[in-house]
Amino acid sequence: MTVAVEHVRCVYARRRADPLVALDGVSLAVDDGELVVVVGPSGSGKTTLLRAVAGLEPLASGRVRIGGRDVTGEPPASRRVAMVFQEYALLPHLSVFENVAFGLRARGVPADEVARAVNDAAQLLDIAGLVDRRPAELSGGQRQRVALARAMVRHPAVFLLDEPLSSLDTELRLRARAETRALQRRLGVATVYVTHDQHEAMALADRVVVLRDGRVEQEGAPADLYAEPANAFVARFLAALPMNLVPAAQVGQRGEHVVGVRPERIRLAPRDGRLTGRVIAVEPAGDDAVVHVLVGALRLLVKTSWAGRPATDDGVALTWEDADEHRFASFDGPRLT
Amino acid sequence: MGGRGRAPVRLVRRAAADVTRRDWLAAPYVVGLTALVVLPAGLAGYLAFTDYYGFTAPEWAGLDNLGRALDDGQFWLALGNAALLALLVVPVRLALATGCALLLHRRRRGASLARVSAYLPSVIPDAAWALLWLWLLNPLYGPIALAARAVGFGSLGLLTEPWPTRLGIAAMLGLQLGESFVVALAARNLIPDRYYEMAAVEGARPWYTVRRLSLALMAPLLALLAVRDVILMLQVSFVPVLLVTDGGPRYATLTSPLDIYREAFLYGDLGYASALSLLLLVLTGLVVGLQLLLARRLRWI
């Protein structure tokens, strides 16, 4: 089924302060079987957006449709959504089996059907051997699987995942990420996935939605967002290393705009570049090095091979192809051309 | 001897060092506990095996007092009354405290006023509470009796018939739910909101959520509250029966504490009263032990 969020506005009333606008006219569409990742810095409203779809957050205005049906104002239970909460919200006093069965039992599904559904889900997620344990006796990765099992066992129309991998360590996170993606493909359920991790967003998404301060900054396929960020914020936020931004005048261009170049597209040379500066730090990054270069008052990043790295305090020149240049109206402004 | 003898010495020394470091902070409490509870309890424990009337020195009597207690119909009657009262009051008080906590845990308009009124009966001194109920239960001009008469129930037998009086006393004790309420409220507020959101998304109805989530997660603390209330009912259900019924009518509300109080301070038989106290302590311990065993078996604690 599809999900459509239309011009949704969420406001938190705060005591002795202006009301906080968590979502300010956000729209979002998720196709059947599509995985949309909502990414943004903390406080950008991404969890609020997820909760608004789930029905856990009252809307000040706007609509939410699931499968074409207007569910605005309906309680969570009647929306056919399943949610994987941050930290998973597994009930500590119930076994894995009972945790997964919670929703089915709550809806009065007969016991033999519950057992069959739970066992199927446990098989699929490879937790069949753990069904008698309690959450406290599970590892982080196992808990994540239990939470996924609970979400899928009811055959929901929509999956809502709130930072489901944030409490896992790096190696496990990579594996769980691939498994989550594979599961979602297999079940073909429309999914909204919230994360603050742009790596995760790029790796998982059919489509990425970048949120900041309760507004959508840009949405599109991961590759498109990387190739043509709609504004300087997306350019800096949605990359392994933030894009370098330099005032036009400093690179000899006319105008008030800002020039952006990705660190991985800059070449270092001893002299004769578009900019010159001094190396203030060199960080190892596997086969590569991230070089911090001070150019006037600007700190620019350059990704270079570890073998070809300069030494700290070296004077270096920076150069790049014209095609790798992005232009923005200002340090925080929209893309030009 | 060699190493075998030295290890304990070292352990003792380390324990002593630990004591000097931090356990002094407990000193005021330990001193108070020793002077006001442990010593008197020890003394009573000794007196339980003597004949002692307060005028002459206690005389060693061995197990005579305990033997007498086993044949003492009035003691067992009083214990039965106390147990009956506990059976009536503990579930009612627990249910009321839990119910109030579940209803009043959210910050809403009027919630704080309601919380105060739930707690109020526990703030009022026991004696004042007892006097209030003496009026409420009065068979001639008390409001309950008047109301019953007005709708044609006649006299309910409050304070004159055994069962109505027991129920009246049980109501009076059951409504003193302040402390239980506060603990239940804290237990409810310890449950994270996200569990309730999960339940809402999973489609759990309110009653299912209360049963499987709230009560299940509050169970360990509620079990301890039940244990505490049983102890209270068996050991200190004293002021109300002394002031409101004086054990009557026809011994219907004579509870163990009142019985022991009478043996000690009305009949002056301090040695025998001490023996009864000791017996009551042991029996209460048994009941509490059974309760804890049951709670553990049910995986509440």
Side-chain angles (χ1 to χ4, degrees), chain A residues 146-168:
Chain A
V146 175
L148 275 178
R150 180 174 63 193
M152 58 163 281
V153 77
R154 281 190 290 112
H155 301 296
V158 181
F159 275 147
L160 305 171
L161 291 87
D162 190 4
E163 308 239 4
L165 307 179
S166 60
S167 56
L168 306 182

Side-chain angles (χ1 to χ4, degrees), chain A residues 16 30 44 72 75 82 96 132 144 153-154 165 191 210 232 280 305:
Chain A
R16 269 175 289 171
V30 187
S44 59
T72 320
V96 166
D132 293 328
Q144 192 252 345
V153 77
R154 281 190 290 112
L165 307 179
T191 302
V210 182
I280 51 173
S305 70

Side-chain angles (χ1 to χ4, degrees), chain A residues 61-254:
Chain A
S61 64
R63 320 241 117 233
V64 175
R65 287 176 210 281
I66 291 175
R69 190 168 63 93
D70 190 343
V71 295
T72 320
E74 279 188 21
S78 60
R79 296 187 176 205
R80 291 196 57 203
V81 298
M83 191 155 171
V84 172
F85 288 81
Q86 219 169 348
E87 317 288 335
Y88 312 134
L90 299 178
L91 298 177
H93 60 293
L94 297 182
S95 66
V96 166
F97 184 96
E98 288 301 327
N99 264 292
V100 175
F102 189 88
L104 297 174
R105 288 212 198 284
R107 288 162 196 264
V109 175
D112 54 333
E113 270 179 55
V114 170
R116 203 176 321 129
V118 172
N119 287 329
D120 286 352
Q123 288 287 337
L124 191 61
L125 282 154
D126 205 14
I127 50 170
L130 307 173
V131 289
D132 293 328
R133 297 212 199 155
R134 302 223 173 177
E137 299 161 350
L138 301 179
S139 71
Q142 290 167 338
R143 279 179 215 175
Q144 192 252 345
R145 286 150 181 269
V146 175
L148 275 178
R150 180 174 63 193
M152 58 163 281
V153 77
R154 281 190 290 112
H155 301 296
V158 181
F159 275 147
L160 305 171
L161 291 87
D162 190 4
E163 308 239 4
L165 307 179
S166 60
S167 56
L168 306 182
D169 57 48
T170 316
E171 193 191 338
L172 194 57
R173 196 181 313 159
L174 280 177
R175 211 180 74 198
R177 187 164 87 189
E179 286 172 357
T180 307
R181 181 59 172 144
L183 181 73
Q184 189 267 339
R185 278 262 156 78
R186 184 165 162 184
L187 299 173
V189 175
T191 302
V192 183
Y193 185 114
V194 158
T195 179
H196 66 272
D197 180 345
Q198 43 82 21
H199 278 121
E200 220 167 277
M202 293 303 229
L204 277 172
D206 291 321
R207 212 141 43 81
V208 176
V209 174
V210 182
L211 218 58
R212 180 171 63 153
D213 295 337
R215 291 168 189 273
V216 174
E217 293 279 334
Q218 189 178 4
E219 63 168 292
D224 295 344
L225 264 60
Y226 182 79
E228 277 199 23
N231 54 49
F233 170 77
V234 175
R236 290 182 67 77
F237 184 75
L238 212 64
L241 296 170
M243 186 183 279
N244 295 303
L245 298 176
V246 185
Q250 221 165 324
V251 286
Q253 296 180 6
R254 278 201 284 182

Side-chain angles (χ1 to χ4, degrees), chain B residues 273-290:
Chain B
S274 296
L276 293 184
S277 302
L278 199 63
L279 200 55
L280 184 62
L281 179 71
V282 170
L283 291 172
T284 310
L286 281 179
V287 172
V288 166
L290 270 177

